[in-house]
């Protein structure tokens, strides 16, 4: 029996206080799965550098204005009696440092008293309690305190951070989504909302539970018991590595299990047979896990991959179990993750220049009307939807007064005043 074509979060309303990467990313995921996500931008801003805007709308509110704070309280408050169609948030995303909401007069405890069904997702970098809680920080700092940064990098070199992907997005945004979804499920049973606390130090440790657990000496597993950069999955093993090709591009090799490694070697050695005199001694599949053989393996693979172009190797290993595929540039990948030579549409000129289509995790599901903003491009004009949202909240008669009081920015109204 076919499943529903309705996006699973259709009908859920999210108020996202504008912030940096993790909050907007959580909002993007909610919007992609059908929620009506409204970003609260700063009053007076005409542009935002946030590009995680697909499917969202914007209202620009002054959080320094009593009228602005009152408006936010209305948007996260309970439905007014007799007006069940009014726009009211199910979820509030708080991206601020500890204490900011309270100082603004938006203490989550008070918001929950006013609307017991509200879910407040509070995203902080450092843990909410402790010596770092009041400090400014970014992904690299939270990663450092998680204990995970010390495990990343090449042998003999300093720790290396994976841009801001692991902490901002995995340990922050994704963990916020998981927490909110769990709270929504609980609310369906109890009728009550709650505060969901997410800090990126703890979230990163959770997202990194595999290496943190495997690295314990008590596990007795060989995958991650050596110093940084000397383990199976962190650049230590030659059969889990990236190799430069003849045209200065790269192939990825991930033949962890011996039967995959044997499949890789069979193909690799066959393709290099005519170059035997130029290469070191060919490896045996029986020495895969022998650390003493790894330096020679690395030298052989490095020399071998350098004899053909990336696309030549890609064609050779396509449709095999060698666990060897090309490292694609961002402009080579379409929205479904397809690359050159794979079935699917070709990237058009604009997509190629822009780094390829941006992936949507639920392409099968239809969009709800609330996601109409998806076609507007990567940037969302602050306050673009202020009038529409205020009218949906039952405040249509107050729009001009709110704008005149400096509580709300609404370009549509300003143009008419």
């Amino acid at each position: 029996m076919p499943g529903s074509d309705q996006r699973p979060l259709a009908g859920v309303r999210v108020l996202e206080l504008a912030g940096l990467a993790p909050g907007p990313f959580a909002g993007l995921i909610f919007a992609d799965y059908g929620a009506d996500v409204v970003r609260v931008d700063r009053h007076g801003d005409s542009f935002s550098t946030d590009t995680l805007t697909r499917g969202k709308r914007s209202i620009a509110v002054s959080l320094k204005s009593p009228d602005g704070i009152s408006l936010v309280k209305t948007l996260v408050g309970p439905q007014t009696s007799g007006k069940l169609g009014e726009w009211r948030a199910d979820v509030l995303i708080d991206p601020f440092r500890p204490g900011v909401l309270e100082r603004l007069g938006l203490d989550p405890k008070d918001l929950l008293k006013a609307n017991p069904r509200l879910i407040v997702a509070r995203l902080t970098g450092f843990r909410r309690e402790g010596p770092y809680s009041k400090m400014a920080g970014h992904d690299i700092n939270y990663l450092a305190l998680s204990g995970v940064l010390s495990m990343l990098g090449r042998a003999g070199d300093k720790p290396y951070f994976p841009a801001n992907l692991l902490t901002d997005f995995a340990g922050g945004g994704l963990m916020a989504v998981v927490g909110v979804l769990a709270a929504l499920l609980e609310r369906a049973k109890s009728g009550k909302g709650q505060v969901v606390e997410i800090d990126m130090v703890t979230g990163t440790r959770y997202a990194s539970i595999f290496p943190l657990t495997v690295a314990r000496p008590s596990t007795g597993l060989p995958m991650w018991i050596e110093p940084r950069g000397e383990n199976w999955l962190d650049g230590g093993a030659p059969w889990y590595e990236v190799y430069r090709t003849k045209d200065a591009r790269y192939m990825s090799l991930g033949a962890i299990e011996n039967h995959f490694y044997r499949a890789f070697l069979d193909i690799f050695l066959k393709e290099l047979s005519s170059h035997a005199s130029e290469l070191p001694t060919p490896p045996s599949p029986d020495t895969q896990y022998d650390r003493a053989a790894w330096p020679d393996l690395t030298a052989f693979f490095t020399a071998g991959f350098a004899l053909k172009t990336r696309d030549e190797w890609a064609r050779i290993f396509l449709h095999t179990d060698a666990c060897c595929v090309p490292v694609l540039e961002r402009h080579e990948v379409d929205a479904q993750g397809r690359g050159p030579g794979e079935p699917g549409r070709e990237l058009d000129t604009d997509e190629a220049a822009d780094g390829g289509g941006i992936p949507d995790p639920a392409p099968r599901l239809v969009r709800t009307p609330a996601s109409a903003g998806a076609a507007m491009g990567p940037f969302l004009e602050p306050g673009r939807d202020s009038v529409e949202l205020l009218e949906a909240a039952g405040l249509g008669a107050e729009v001009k007064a709110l704008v005149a009081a400096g509580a709300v920015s609404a370009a549509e109204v300003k143009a008419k005043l």
Side-chain angles (χ1 to χ4, degrees):
M1 183 180 235
S4 170
D5 63 356
Q6 183 72 15
R7 295 210 165 208
L9 294 182
V12 174
R13 292 167 169 174
V14 179
L15 197 66
E16 173 197 317
L17 300 180
L20 297 176
F25 182 50
L28 172 71
I29 295 174
F30 292 134
D32 277 342
Y33 282 94
D36 183 359
V37 180
V38 174
R39 187 181 74 191
V40 179
D41 286 302
R42 290 193 303 180
H43 173 271
D45 283 357
S46 59
F47 180 75
S48 169
T49 58
D50 177 20
T51 60
L52 304 177
T53 61
R54 181 172 58 208
K56 300 180 186 179
R57 297 187 287 172
S58 169
I59 182 172
V61 179
S62 172
L63 298 183
K64 297 180 180 180
S65 160
D67 288 333
I69 294 298
S70 178
L71 172 58
V72 172
K73 288 181 178 179
T74 297
L75 294 178
V76 298
Q79 296 286 345
T80 303
S81 178
K83 296 184 179 180
L84 295 180
E86 290 180 347
W87 199 100
R88 294 293 185 270
D90 296 285
V91 179
L92 174 67
I93 298 177
D94 164 27
F96 302 133
R97 286 197 232 176
V100 171
L101 275 195
E102 288 81 355
R103 289 197 298 273
L104 290 172
L106 296 171
D107 190 320
K109 293 179 182 177
D110 296 333
L111 299 181
L112 281 168
K113 285 180 182 177
N115 179 9
R117 291 181 56 81
L118 181 66
I119 295 168
V120 183
R122 309 201 74 180
L123 261 165
T124 61
F126 300 117
R127 293 186 172 110
R128 188 166 291 277
E129 304 293 336
Y132 298 95
S133 62
K134 305 298 184 184
M135 293 173 56
H138 280 295
D139 179 286
I140 190 172
N141 308 125
Y142 317 138
L143 184 61
L145 289 186
S146 73
V148 178
L149 180 55
S150 68
M151 304 174 72
L152 305 177
R154 294 292 183 176
D157 203 350
K158 62 184 179 181
Y160 192 82
F161 48 94
N164 68 331
L165 302 178
L166 181 53
T167 300
D168 274 350
F169 292 94
L174 276 177
M175 289 307 302
V177 170
V178 171
V180 169
L181 292 180
L184 285 169
L185 287 172
E186 200 282 331
R187 190 182 72 172
K189 295 182 292 184
S190 69
K192 296 184 180 295
Q194 61 183 282
V195 175
V196 178
E197 293 278 7
I198 308 99
D199 74 79
M200 285 178 264
V201 174
T202 303
T204 298
R205 288 185 61 80
Y206 193 82
S208 306
I209 193 169
F210 172 71
L212 288 173
T213 302
V214 172
R216 293 174 181 168
S218 59
T219 64
L221 297 175
M223 295 179 186
W224 216 305
I225 58 175
E226 301 296 332
R228 177 175 62 247
E230 299 179 23
N231 298 284
W232 285 21
L233 306 180
D234 65 356
W239 30 263
Y240 199 87
E241 181 60 281
V242 172
Y243 290 97
R244 185 183 176 97
T245 57
K246 185 178 181 179
D247 55 344
R249 300 169 98 175
Y250 297 91
M251 290 292 292
S252 69
L253 175 61
I256 300 174
E257 296 83 359
N258 189 250
H259 57 285
F260 294 143
Y261 182 65
R262 287 173 182 271
F264 163 73
L265 275 186
D266 285 345
I267 298 168
F268 195 60
L269 295 179
K270 179 181 178 181
E271 291 297 325
L272 297 176
S273 59
S274 61
H275 298 276
S277 62
E278 308 170 40
L279 296 169
T281 302
S284 163
D286 298 326
T287 62
Q288 177 181 5
Y289 304 116
D290 180 0
R291 288 179 176 272
W294 285 5
D296 289 339
L297 280 180
T298 299
F300 185 85
F301 293 160
T302 299
F305 275 110
L307 293 174
K308 294 181 184 292
T309 68
R310 184 202 69 175
D311 289 349
E312 287 176 324
W313 283 121
R315 286 190 291 269
I316 289 167
F317 286 112
L318 187 63
H319 305 307
T320 74
D321 283 344
C323 301
C324 190
V325 302
V327 176
L328 300 181
E329 302 292 335
R330 64 187 184 94
H331 62 272
E332 296 180 284
V333 185
D334 74 9
Q336 278 68 52
R338 299 188 181 100
E342 295 182 79
R345 65 180 180 83
E346 295 294 324
L347 293 181
D348 62 32
T349 303
D350 288 339
E351 283 182 322
D354 193 38
I358 305 302
D360 182 334
R364 180 184 67 83
L365 302 175
V366 297
R367 290 200 178 277
T368 61
S371 296
M376 300 301 290
F379 296 108
L380 176 59
E381 178 189 357
R384 187 194 69 188
D385 308 290
S386 293
V387 171
E388 177 186 356
L389 286 161
L390 289 170
E391 290 176 346
L395 301 172
E398 303 172 42
V399 172
K400 291 185 178 180
L402 287 168
V403 172
V408 173
S409 297
E412 310 96 310
V413 175
K414 288 180 180 178
K416 298 174 183 178
L417 289 179

